[in-house]
Amino acid sequence: MTAAVEFHNVSRHFGTVRAVDRVDLAIDEGSFFAMLGPSGSGKTTCLRLISGFEKPTTGSIRIFGEDMGDVPPNRRHVNTVFQDYALFPHMNVRDNVAYGLMVKGVERRTRHERAEELLSLVKLDGFGERKPAQLSGGQRQRVALARALVNEPRVLLLDEPLGALDLKLREAMQDELKALQRRLGITFVFVTHDQGEALSMADRVAVFNDGRIAQVGTPSDVYDRPATRFVADFVGSSNVLPPDLTRSFGGPRLWASLRPESIRFTGASDPKAKGRVTALRYLGSGTRVALETGGQEIAVLVPAGAPVPDIGEVSGLTWDPAALHLMEDA
Amino acid sequence: MDSAHPSRGVADRLTGVFWSRPKLLTALLIAPPLLWLGVVYVGSLAALLLQSFYSIDEFSGVVVPEFTLKTYAELLRPSNFDVIVRTVTMAAAVTLASVAVAFPIAFFAARYARGRWKALFYLGVMLPLWSSYLVKVYAWKLILAKEGIVTWAAEGIGAGNVLGAVLAIPVIGGNSLSTSYIGTFLVFVYVWLPYMILPMQAALERVPGSLLEASADLGAGGWRTFRSVILPLALPGIIAGSIFTFSLTLGDYIIPQIIGSSRFFIGQAVYSLQGTAGNIPLAAAFAVVPIVIMLIYLAVARKMGAFDAL
Amino acid sequence: MKSLLVSTTAMAMVVANAAAADMITELGAPEGQVDIVAWPGYIERGETDPAFDWVTKFEEASGCKVNVKTANTSDEMVALMNEGGFDLVTASGDASLRLVAGGRVQPVNTDLIPSWATVDDRLKDAPWHTVDGVHYGTPYMWGPNVLMYNTTVFPEPPTSWSVVFEEQMLPDGQSNKGRVQAYDGPIHVADAAQYLMAHKPELGITSPYELNEDQYAAALDLLRGQRELVSRYWHDAFIQMDDFKNEGVVASGSWPFQVNLLASEGQPIASTIPSEGATGWADTTMMHVNAAHPNCSYLWMEHTLSSNLQSDLSVWFGAVPSVPAACSDGRGMQTQEGCDANGLADFEKIHFWTTPVANCSQGEGACVPYYRWVSDYIGVIGGR
C-alpha cells in the first residue's frame, strides 16, 4: 500500500534556522495522523510542506507516490483547514463552501446544491446566506471544514483547527472530527500542540522537537513508551528520572520515565521509594502531589476519593515494575 | 483629612470635572473644528450653490440674484457640455490607469516589502509629493516636448514612427506629446499616482495572507485569486484612491493649461468665468458639476459594496 | 468662492470709501518703504541683468525701500488690491476701471508730481485711468501685442497677421499648421476683430472691443479656423518661450518681453507690427485707497516719470515710454528709433485693451459683453 504522504529526508531552512531538519515520515492512507509538538518545533512547517505553501530546502515529498517537487498548491489534491479558518469575509457561507467548485468551473446550481450538502454534513443547514462575521467561532470552524472538503480531497490538512475554541466546544468537535474522518475514510493530518487532543483523536502521532521527529507511533506508544526524555516530558508530563534515580528506583543506570498516575502511596514497611510531600495541586479529577526524593522532584497523581497526604509528610511509594520505562538520553 | 487625597489644584479639579462628564470634554475638543467645518466650509459651499441658481443678464452682463435654472441649462450648451464630458472622460481614464499602475506597486509593498524595502517604498511614493507640483508639471512639459527627451529617445531607438503613429491618432493625438491629450493624461497619472497607491496599499495590507493561501489551496490560480479574493477585498482602498484621483483630476486647472491642446477643463472654465468675465453663476454651476459627479460616484460605489468592509 | 467673497467685500468697500476719496494736498516725510503689485519684469533692480536697474537709485535717494509682489493676471492684481496691504499697482486697461469702480484706488494729485507735465499728451486723459476728469494714477508704460516670429523661418518680417489666422505655406515651404500660437484669453477675440477690420471692411468694425452680433460672429469664425492651426494656446510667458524653443512654434502674437528675452538668449527670434496694426496694452500706476505709505508712493510715481525708468524699461520690455522725452534725451538706453520700432509711431494703429461691455458706441446693449467672449472662446478652443 502506498502511503498517502511520504517525506524523504526533508529539510526546510529559513536563513540559519532549521525549521524542519532531515525528516522522514510516512502517513498511511485513511489514517488520522497527528503532528504534535510545542510551538516552533516544525510541525506547522511540515503541514505547509504538504500543502505546498513551503518548498523543501532539500529532500522530497510524495503524495500518493507522486513527487510534489514542482506541483503548486492549487494543483495538489490536498485541502487545508486553516488555523484562523481564513474564510473569505466578503462572501456568504454558501459561496465560501462552494469556492473550490467555482474555481473548477462547476455550474452555479450544482455547486450550491453541493455546498448545502456539505453544510448539512457539518450541521450548519440554513446558514448559507450568512456572512462569516455573523457566525460563532465553532460555526466558522465548521464552515472552514466544509469548504476544505468540497473538493473531495484525499488528504485533509488541519492546522490547529480547534485552538480558538473553548474547552467544551473543543471536546465536542474532537468527537465530531473523528467521526467525520471515519465516515469519509480520507486521510486527516492534524497539527496540534495539545497532547490530549492528539492522543484522543489520532491513529498515529508524530512528536516534533526542534525541527525533528522525536517519535512516531500510536498514542499509547508515545504515551506509555516514550522514546526520549522530551517525549516523556511533553506527552502527559511524565516523571523523567535521571540514571541515578532510576537505579535507586530499582532499574538499570539509564534514563527512564514513570507516569504520575502509575505511582501509588503505600503504607508498607519496604516501599520502592520514599518522598516528602512539598506541594499539592487539586485538579478536580484527582490531586497532583509533588514529592521530593533523592534530591529530585517527582509527581504522583492521586485519583479522586483516595487519601491525600499532607504537606511535609514522608510517604512510601510503589509502582508496577513494568511502569518504569527506559529510554534514550535525548 | 484623608492623606490619600491632598488638597486639589485647579487643573486637578478640572480633570475631575471632565472625568465625571466625559461628553463635556469631547464637546469642547470638537467645537472649533466643527465650527470651522460648519461655517467656513459648508457655508461657502452653500454660497456657491446659491450663486449657481442666479443668472447673468444677457444684455448687461450683470448678475441677477433671482432663482432660476437658466444657468444650469447653459451647461448643456455644446461648448460647455464639451468641457464637462472632456473633464469627466479624462478623470475616468486617469483613474483607471492609476489603478492599473498602482496595483502591482501597492501589492508588492503590502505583501513582500519588509523593513528597509518598505521604507524605500514609502520614500519612493512620497518623494514626488514633496517637490513642487508646478516644478513637476514644467519638467514634464520639457520631457514631452516635440524636441524633448521622449521624442529624442524614441528616434534614438528607431521608434520615432511609432510615436508618430500614436500622435496621429485623432482626438487624443496632436503635434507633440506635450500638446496632446496623451500628454495631459500621462502627467495627470504621474501627479496623482501616490494618492492611489497609498490607500490601495493600506487596503491590501489588511488582507490576511491566509486568505490567499486558502484560495490557492482550493485550486485557484493567481488570476482567479486576484479576481475573487484580492480585488474585492482591496476594493475599499481602490475606491478611496479613485476618489482622490478622480476628484483631483476633475478640479485641476493647472496641468491642462501647461500640457495639452489648450481645450478647457472644468477648473479652467471656472477660473476664466469669474474675475473680469463676472459670470459667477456659470462659474458656480460649473463648480457644482464635480460635486454632483462625485456624489453619484460615491452612491454607485456604495451600491457596489465598496464600503461593506469599512 | 473666493471671488464671491471678494466681490461682496468690494461692494461693501464702495459704500465705505465714497467719502474717503479725498486727494492728498501736500507731501510729508517718506515712510521708508513702498509696496507695489506689478507685472513680472516691470520693476527691475539689476538682479536679472545688472544693466537694467531702476530701483536702487530711488531707494538711495528717497529712503523708501521698494517691495514688489508680481501678479500674472489682471484678476490676480485686482484680488491682491482687494486684499489690501499694498500701496501701488501697475494696472492694465482691463483692471484699472474695475479698481476705480470698486473704490480700491484713490485720486492722484498731479500737482504733487512735477514730471506730470512731461507725460505724452495722448495719455494724460486716457479713459482707462481718468473718470469724470479725475486722474486715478500716472501712465506707466504702453506697448503693442507684437507678432513674434522665428527668423530662420521668416527671413523677412511677416507683413500680415494672416500667418497666425489662415492656413498657408510659410517661407520655409512648410504649412503653418501646428506651428503657430495664439493667446488663450478671450481678449484674443479682439485680435481677430482687428484683423477683420482690415480684411473685411464690409463688417464695419470700428473698435475691436466693441462688436455687434454680426461682427462678433465673424470674429469667432476666424478663430475657429485658427484652432485648426494651433496645437496649444499660450497663457504663461515662459511656457510660450519654451514652446518657441522646444515645440517648433514659429509665429504667434506675443509681448515684447518674450521677444527680448528669447533674443537675449541667442534664439533666432524677432517681432514686428504687421500692416493691420495691433492690439495693445497701457498700464497705469495706481494708488491704493488705504495706502500705508502715501509719501513714498508719490515719490515713486514721480520717479517712474522722471528717471531712467521710462527709457530703460521700454528697452527691457520692448515697450513705449509714457514720457516721449525718455526716447531721445539720453536719460537711459532708449533711442527715438527704438521707440518708433516698439510702436510709438503706430500709436494711432493700436487699440488698447479695455473690457468689452454691452453698452458701447454702437448703442445701448448693442455690443457683445465680455462674459460672452469668455464662454464662447472656451467653445472655440474646445473646437466648437
Side-chain angles (χ1 to χ4, degrees), chain B residues 127-195:
Chain B
L127 202 62
L129 293 179
W130 298 341
S131 66
S132 158
Y133 163 86
L134 268 180
V135 169
K136 286 183 285 185
V137 177
Y138 278 112
W140 270 99
K141 180 184 184 299
L142 288 177
I143 291 169
L144 299 174
K146 194 187 185 92
E147 287 151 37
I149 188 163
V150 172
T151 315
W152 174 81
E155 272 159 16
I157 60 169
N161 47 355
V162 176
L163 186 63
V166 170
L167 288 174
I169 301 172
V171 186
I172 63 164
N175 208 33
S176 74
L177 280 176
S178 110
T179 60
S180 67
Y181 279 133
I182 301 174
T184 322
F185 165 82
L186 288 175
V187 178
F188 267 133
V189 171
Y190 168 82
V191 170
W192 303 142
L193 194 59
Y195 297 94

Side-chain angles (χ1 to χ4, degrees), chain A residues 270-328:
Chain A
D270 58 339
K272 289 193 164 155
K274 278 186 170 176
R276 205 165 54 84
V277 177
T278 56
L280 299 172
R281 186 141 55 99
Y282 180 63
L283 301 174
S285 58
T287 303
R288 190 180 173 90
V289 182
L291 301 105
E292 191 263 311
T293 177
Q296 199 75 30
E297 182 172 284
I298 63 166
V300 175
L301 193 66
V302 182
V308 177
D310 291 328
I311 290 183
E313 204 174 300
V314 176
S315 299
L317 304 170
T318 187
W319 54 83
D320 181 349
L324 193 67
H325 170 72
L326 304 176
M327 55 195 186
E328 294 168 36

Side-chain angles (χ1 to χ4, degrees), chain B residues 12-239:
Chain B
D12 194 31
R13 280 167 195 278
L14 213 55
T15 309
V17 171
F18 287 143
W19 178 79
S20 51
R21 297 180 193 76
K23 279 185 183 163
L24 184 66
L25 182 61
T26 316
L28 277 177
L29 285 174
I30 209 168
L34 214 59
L35 272 176
W36 187 87
L37 205 70
V39 177
V40 180
Y41 195 77
V42 178
S44 62
L45 213 60
L48 177 82
L49 206 63
L50 187 68
Q51 287 284 337
S52 69
F53 288 110
Y54 292 168
S55 66
I56 197 160
D57 185 276
E58 275 175 37
F59 234 42
S60 61
V62 173
V63 175
V64 185
E66 284 166 20
F67 181 88
T68 172
L69 290 172
K70 207 174 96 186
T71 307
Y72 280 101
E74 275 283 292
L75 287 180
L76 298 176
R77 267 182 41 186
S79 64
N80 291 336
F81 199 66
D82 278 355
V83 173
I84 295 170
V85 170
R86 181 181 303 135
T87 312
V88 173
T89 309
M90 178 61 79
V94 167
T95 300
L96 288 177
S98 298
V99 171
V101 177
F103 195 88
I105 301 173
F107 190 77
F108 171 81
R111 285 263 156 263
Y112 299 104
R114 292 282 170 274
R116 184 175 306 198
W117 284 102
K118 194 130 197 161
L120 201 67
F121 159 79
Y122 277 113
L123 197 70
V125 173
M126 305 289 278
L127 202 62
L129 293 179
W130 298 341
S131 66
S132 158
Y133 163 86
L134 268 180
V135 169
K136 286 183 285 185
V137 177
Y138 278 112
W140 270 99
K141 180 184 184 299
L142 288 177
I143 291 169
L144 299 174
K146 194 187 185 92
E147 287 151 37
I149 188 163
V150 172
T151 315
W152 174 81
E155 272 159 16
I157 60 169
N161 47 355
V162 176
L163 186 63
V166 170
L167 288 174
I169 301 172
V171 186
I172 63 164
N175 208 33
S176 74
L177 280 176
S178 110
T179 60
S180 67
Y181 279 133
I182 301 174
T184 322
F185 165 82
L186 288 175
V187 178
F188 267 133
V189 171
Y190 168 82
V191 170
W192 303 142
L193 194 59
Y195 297 94
M196 179 62 85
I197 294 178
L198 292 176
M200 210 184 231
Q201 186 252 2
L204 285 170
E205 209 146 69
R206 288 214 306 256
V207 178
S210 63
L211 294 190
L212 310 191
E213 290 187 347
S215 176
D217 188 78
L218 292 164
W223 175 238
R224 163 58 71 185
T225 301
F226 172 77
R227 256 180 44 206
S228 298
V229 180
I230 300 175
L231 201 60
L233 290 175
L235 202 60
I238 296 174
I239 297 289

Side-chain angles (χ1 to χ4, degrees), chain C residues 34 168 178 223 305:
Chain C
V34 56
Q168 60 189 264
L223 293 168
L305 301 176

